[in-house]
Amino acid sequence: MYRYAIARSPGPNLATGITTSELGKPDYETALRQHQRYVDALRDAGLAVAILDPLPGHPDGHFVEDVAVVTPEIAVITRPGAEARRGEEGALEPVLTQYRRIVRISAPGTLDGGDVLIVGRQVIIGISQRTNVEGARQLGAILAPFGYAWTTVSVDVGLHLKSSVNVMEEDTLLTADWLNRARQVGSGRPPFGGYRRIVVDDVDAYAANSLWVNDRILMPAGFPRVRDQLEVLGRQVVEVDVSEMRKMDGGITCMSVRL
């Protein structure tokens, strides 16, 4: 059960952030409304949400999940893989110190929180354009004393690992189809073979970035086939319009840190 969440409002420079999308520029006023509805959905799920002010000079600063990995025992401040995003982590650290002891990823390691999937005591770390092997090794070493095992998987499609796979219940993953063909880095073994998987067709791959939070699942609006797949789990499924965040390679999970 999550009790708290940290979110940051988008700034007026939202459209100058980093993106690979070809969906056009986001509309700032629409993005603000969508962000507020997202926060409302977290509160409806029972979380107390702290909303931080926009971060000057950091147009991607509202994607707060990338700068911290939080477990019940500790908070790990990351070292973002994109140089333009470095500095965001320092702005979040004073808030996280209210909830957890802090440790940090150091150079030459890079790590984005969007590449870290925690399933029980298993940590799966995506090696991507933003997260390198050294960053993954440091995170694994930090979490191992708390009983976490870790492995890595190559992210061949999308920005982050969690763009394509997320936990929907203790042993169930929602995954984009391509990820079922992925292999562990340095191994031929599928990293997700031990879990029940709900597989999303390629045309609906964006909806793989959905969030299980307490008694409900938050998912991006506009994917009725995926909604039907998720409703089989018996939880309330809540659609949230995040069209403007999608234009900046963002999604449901990356707009908050849950504790």
Side-chain angles (χ1 to χ4, degrees):
M1 291 286 292
Y2 293 113
R3 297 177 59 193
Y4 307 103
I6 302 168
R8 185 183 297 282
S9 296
N13 57 352
L14 164 71
T16 65
I18 306 168
T19 184
T20 62
S21 164
E22 297 180 353
L23 298 173
K25 288 189 175 182
D27 178 78
Y28 177 55
E29 296 300 328
T30 303
L32 285 179
R33 290 192 295 271
Q34 290 180 352
H35 189 269
Q36 184 58 57
R37 293 188 188 112
Y38 172 78
V39 168
D40 291 343
L42 292 175
R43 287 173 171 156
D44 288 344
L47 278 64
V49 184
I51 305 177
L52 309 181
D53 291 335
L55 195 58
H58 291 282
D60 294 306
H62 53 287
F63 298 136
V64 291
E65 183 184 54
D66 287 330
V67 299
V69 175
V70 180
T71 73
E73 301 87 3
I74 203 164
V76 181
I77 298 297
T78 71
R79 183 171 180 263
E83 287 192 24
R85 298 198 62 184
R86 291 178 194 163
E88 294 177 26
E89 67 279 16
L92 187 64
E93 183 173 341
V95 183
L96 280 173
T97 56
Q98 302 175 43
Y99 302 96
R100 298 286 191 277
R101 181 171 71 88
I102 301 291
V103 293
R104 300 168 191 82
I105 300 297
S106 59
T110 63
L111 182 78
D112 274 19
D115 281 319
V116 181
L117 183 74
I118 301 178
V119 194
R121 291 280 158 173
Q122 179 68 35
V123 183
I124 303 171
I125 307 168
I127 304 302
S128 70
Q129 294 181 2
R130 302 290 180 88
T131 296
N132 64 20
V133 172
E134 173 59 17
R137 185 200 65 77
Q138 289 184 34
L139 180 65
I142 290 167
L143 296 182
F146 300 105
Y148 292 89
W150 65 281
T151 190
T152 56
V153 60
S154 178
V155 177
D156 299 325
V157 178
L159 180 63
H160 290 124
L161 177 64
K162 290 174 70 174
S163 301
S164 299
V165 57
N166 284 278
V167 181
M168 295 294 104
E169 55 185 25
E170 287 84 356
D171 62 348
T172 301
L173 304 178
L174 180 69
T175 76
D177 184 55
W178 77 266
L179 205 55
N180 292 294
R181 302 184 294 274
R183 295 290 181 269
Q184 291 177 2
V185 174
S187 167
R189 293 180 297 161
F192 305 109
Y195 302 101
R196 176 189 176 196
R197 284 164 286 173
I198 300 173
V199 180
V200 174
D201 290 339
D202 287 343
V203 68
D204 291 329
Y206 180 73
N209 186 252
S210 295
L211 175 63
W212 169 33
V213 54
N214 296 347
D215 63 344
R216 62 197 64 194
I217 295 170
L218 309 187
M219 66 168 289
F223 297 90
R225 286 183 294 257
V226 179
R227 180 175 185 131
D228 289 344
Q229 289 174 283
L230 291 174
E231 285 181 336
V232 172
L233 298 175
R235 289 191 175 86
Q236 181 180 356
V237 178
V238 179
E239 294 191 44
V240 182
D241 189 352
V242 288
S243 63
E244 304 312 290
M245 307 306 170
R246 186 179 185 183
K247 294 174 182 177
M248 303 307 297
D249 287 338
I252 292 284
T253 67
C254 59
M255 292 191 291
S256 64
V257 174
R258 286 79 55 193
L259 306 98

